Amino acid sequence: MPPYSPPDTILFDGVCNLCNGFVQFVIRHDAAGRFRFAALQSEAGRALLAAHGLAPTSLATDPDSVLLLSGGQLYSHSDAVLRIARGLGGIWQVAALARVLPRVWRDAAYRFVARHRYRWFGREESCWLPTPELKARFL
């Protein structure tokens, strides 16, 4: 029997409409159930950040809206998004080809969108709550 490998965890800004839309996109396309989720504002999200040496308050100055915890390592910016796309499989793996671009370019584009996400897509007053069927995939 292969060793247990915990699911990859996507940490996201729970009040960001773009981030919530991204999480719902991943849920729709993650047929294998590879990913689980935690809002950055949740107790579980804050605990995961602390376990990796990040303070939740640091996110106010660095607009990381999506982080990926995979294999004990935390990925941010474009690396997180591209690893998630690759993990979805199928046609979404094509997005991972963007890794051929210099990371500084990819991360600049990521940061630009992240900086403007509330203005362009809006924000909620509270975190999105999963349906009872999806609750098991959220920390």
Side-chain angles (χ1 to χ4, degrees), residues 5-9 36 48 51-52 68-75:
S5 176
D8 292 346
T9 302
R36 62 183 178 175
L48 286 170
H52 288 85
L68 174 66
L69 179 58
S70 178
Q73 187 158 355
L74 192 65
Y75 298 94

mmCIF file of all heavy atoms in Angstrom, residues 5-9 36 48 51-52 68-75:
data_model
loop_
_atom_site.group_PDB
_atom_site.id
_atom_site.type_symbol
_atom_site.label_atom_id
_atom_site.label_comp_id
_atom_site.label_asym_id
_atom_site.label_seq_id
_atom_site.Cartn_x
_atom_site.Cartn_y
_atom_site.Cartn_z
ATOM 1 N N SER A 5 -0.676 10.269 1.630
ATOM 2 C CA SER A 5 -0.291 11.611 1.192
ATOM 3 C C SER A 5 -1.489 12.528 1.422
ATOM 4 O O SER A 5 -2.539 12.335 0.797
ATOM 5 C CB SER A 5 0.083 11.588 -0.294
ATOM 6 O OG SER A 5 0.357 12.882 -0.744
ATOM 7 N N PRO A 6 -1.357 13.514 2.326
ATOM 8 C CA PRO A 6 -2.506 14.380 2.595
ATOM 9 C C PRO A 6 -2.871 15.196 1.357
ATOM 10 O O PRO A 6 -2.021 15.472 0.515
ATOM 11 C CB PRO A 6 -2.016 15.285 3.731
ATOM 12 C CG PRO A 6 -0.540 15.232 3.661
ATOM 13 C CD PRO A 6 -0.174 13.906 3.070
ATOM 14 N N PRO A 7 -4.144 15.560 1.252
ATOM 15 C CA PRO A 7 -4.554 16.369 0.107
ATOM 16 C C PRO A 7 -3.840 17.721 0.112
ATOM 17 O O PRO A 7 -3.446 18.224 1.164
ATOM 18 C CB PRO A 7 -6.054 16.567 0.310
ATOM 19 C CG PRO A 7 -6.453 15.685 1.430
ATOM 20 C CD PRO A 7 -5.227 15.282 2.158
ATOM 21 N N ASP A 8 -3.665 18.274 -1.058
ATOM 22 C CA ASP A 8 -3.117 19.626 -1.158
ATOM 23 C C ASP A 8 -4.170 20.608 -0.648
ATOM 24 O O ASP A 8 -5.369 20.402 -0.850
ATOM 25 C CB ASP A 8 -2.776 19.952 -2.609
ATOM 26 C CG ASP A 8 -1.608 19.140 -3.138
ATOM 27 O OD1 ASP A 8 -0.897 18.523 -2.336
ATOM 28 O OD2 ASP A 8 -1.407 19.134 -4.355
ATOM 29 N N THR A 9 -3.722 21.652 0.019
ATOM 30 C CA THR A 9 -4.635 22.636 0.593
ATOM 31 C C THR A 9 -4.442 23.981 -0.084
ATOM 32 O O THR A 9 -3.323 24.484 -0.164
ATOM 33 C CB THR A 9 -4.401 22.779 2.112
ATOM 34 O OG1 THR A 9 -4.581 21.500 2.725
ATOM 35 C CG2 THR A 9 -5.374 23.772 2.724
ATOM 36 N N ARG A 36 -8.229 20.442 -0.904
ATOM 37 C CA ARG A 36 -9.106 20.918 0.153
ATOM 38 C C ARG A 36 -8.822 22.405 0.307
ATOM 39 O O ARG A 36 -7.865 22.922 -0.284
ATOM 40 C CB ARG A 36 -8.910 20.126 1.440
ATOM 41 C CG ARG A 36 -7.548 20.227 2.029
ATOM 42 C CD ARG A 36 -7.432 19.357 3.254
ATOM 43 N NE ARG A 36 -6.066 19.466 3.735
ATOM 44 C CZ ARG A 36 -5.633 18.917 4.830
ATOM 45 N NH1 ARG A 36 -6.455 18.212 5.580
ATOM 46 N NH2 ARG A 36 -4.388 19.054 5.206
ATOM 47 N N LEU A 48 -2.353 27.298 9.641
ATOM 48 C CA LEU A 48 -1.458 26.827 8.585
ATOM 49 C C LEU A 48 -0.419 27.890 8.237
ATOM 50 O O LEU A 48 0.749 27.568 8.003
ATOM 51 C CB LEU A 48 -2.259 26.436 7.339
ATOM 52 C CG LEU A 48 -3.036 25.130 7.446
ATOM 53 C CD1 LEU A 48 -3.985 24.974 6.260
ATOM 54 C CD2 LEU A 48 -2.080 23.951 7.535
ATOM 55 N N ALA A 51 2.158 27.942 10.977
ATOM 56 C CA ALA A 51 3.012 26.755 10.918
ATOM 57 C C ALA A 51 4.104 26.890 9.855
ATOM 58 O O ALA A 51 5.124 26.215 9.928
ATOM 59 C CB ALA A 51 2.166 25.516 10.635
ATOM 60 N N HIS A 52 3.894 27.794 8.904
ATOM 61 C CA HIS A 52 4.882 28.011 7.846
ATOM 62 C C HIS A 52 5.569 29.368 7.978
ATOM 63 O O HIS A 52 6.132 29.897 7.017
ATOM 64 C CB HIS A 52 4.228 27.851 6.473
ATOM 65 C CG HIS A 52 3.921 26.415 6.181
ATOM 66 N ND1 HIS A 52 2.769 25.804 6.607
ATOM 67 C CD2 HIS A 52 4.657 25.467 5.569
ATOM 68 C CE1 HIS A 52 2.794 24.543 6.246
ATOM 69 N NE2 HIS A 52 3.926 24.300 5.625
ATOM 70 N N LEU A 68 -0.813 27.709 -1.926
ATOM 71 C CA LEU A 68 -0.986 26.264 -2.027
ATOM 72 C C LEU A 68 -0.011 25.576 -1.088
ATOM 73 O O LEU A 68 1.194 25.816 -1.160
ATOM 74 C CB LEU A 68 -0.743 25.792 -3.469
ATOM 75 C CG LEU A 68 -0.765 24.273 -3.682
ATOM 76 C CD1 LEU A 68 -2.152 23.703 -3.416
ATOM 77 C CD2 LEU A 68 -0.286 23.923 -5.085
ATOM 78 N N LEU A 69 -0.553 24.732 -0.226
ATOM 79 C CA LEU A 69 0.265 23.888 0.642
ATOM 80 C C LEU A 69 0.260 22.492 0.031
ATOM 81 O O LEU A 69 -0.786 21.844 -0.052
ATOM 82 C CB LEU A 69 -0.301 23.856 2.056
ATOM 83 C CG LEU A 69 0.422 22.990 3.070
ATOM 84 C CD1 LEU A 69 1.880 23.405 3.210
ATOM 85 C CD2 LEU A 69 -0.284 23.057 4.407
ATOM 86 N N SER A 70 1.422 22.063 -0.453
ATOM 87 C CA SER A 70 1.526 20.775 -1.136
ATOM 88 C C SER A 70 2.822 20.090 -0.724
ATOM 89 O O SER A 70 3.894 20.692 -0.811
ATOM 90 C CB SER A 70 1.513 20.994 -2.651
ATOM 91 O OG SER A 70 1.662 19.784 -3.351
ATOM 92 N N GLY A 71 2.713 18.860 -0.274
ATOM 93 C CA GLY A 71 3.894 18.109 0.121
ATOM 94 C C GLY A 71 4.695 18.786 1.213
ATOM 95 O O GLY A 71 5.925 18.692 1.235
ATOM 96 N N GLY A 72 4.018 19.496 2.105
ATOM 97 C CA GLY A 72 4.697 20.174 3.199
ATOM 98 C C GLY A 72 5.337 21.495 2.818
ATOM 99 O O GLY A 72 5.962 22.139 3.639
ATOM 100 N N GLN A 73 5.178 21.921 1.567
ATOM 101 C CA GLN A 73 5.764 23.178 1.101
ATOM 102 C C GLN A 73 4.653 24.151 0.739
ATOM 103 O O GLN A 73 3.619 23.761 0.196
ATOM 104 C CB GLN A 73 6.660 22.924 -0.107
ATOM 105 C CG GLN A 73 7.426 24.156 -0.519
ATOM 106 C CD GLN A 73 8.656 23.800 -1.330
ATOM 107 O OE1 GLN A 73 8.993 22.637 -1.514
ATOM 108 N NE2 GLN A 73 9.326 24.807 -1.823
ATOM 109 N N LEU A 74 4.885 25.438 1.018
ATOM 110 C CA LEU A 74 3.914 26.483 0.723
ATOM 111 C C LEU A 74 4.326 27.210 -0.551
ATOM 112 O O LEU A 74 5.450 27.709 -0.642
ATOM 113 C CB LEU A 74 3.828 27.454 1.902
ATOM 114 C CG LEU A 74 2.675 28.441 1.887
ATOM 115 C CD1 LEU A 74 1.337 27.704 1.992
ATOM 116 C CD2 LEU A 74 2.809 29.412 3.050
ATOM 117 N N TYR A 75 3.421 27.256 -1.516
ATOM 118 C CA TYR A 75 3.672 27.946 -2.795
ATOM 119 C C TYR A 75 2.788 29.184 -2.858
ATOM 120 O O TYR A 75 1.647 29.165 -2.387
ATOM 121 C CB TYR A 75 3.356 27.028 -3.975
ATOM 122 C CG TYR A 75 4.223 25.798 -4.010
ATOM 123 C CD1 TYR A 75 3.799 24.609 -3.426
ATOM 124 C CD2 TYR A 75 5.476 25.831 -4.612
ATOM 125 C CE1 TYR A 75 4.602 23.484 -3.440
ATOM 126 C CE2 TYR A 75 6.281 24.705 -4.628
ATOM 127 C CZ TYR A 75 5.838 23.533 -4.040
ATOM 128 O OH TYR A 75 6.638 22.422 -4.055
#
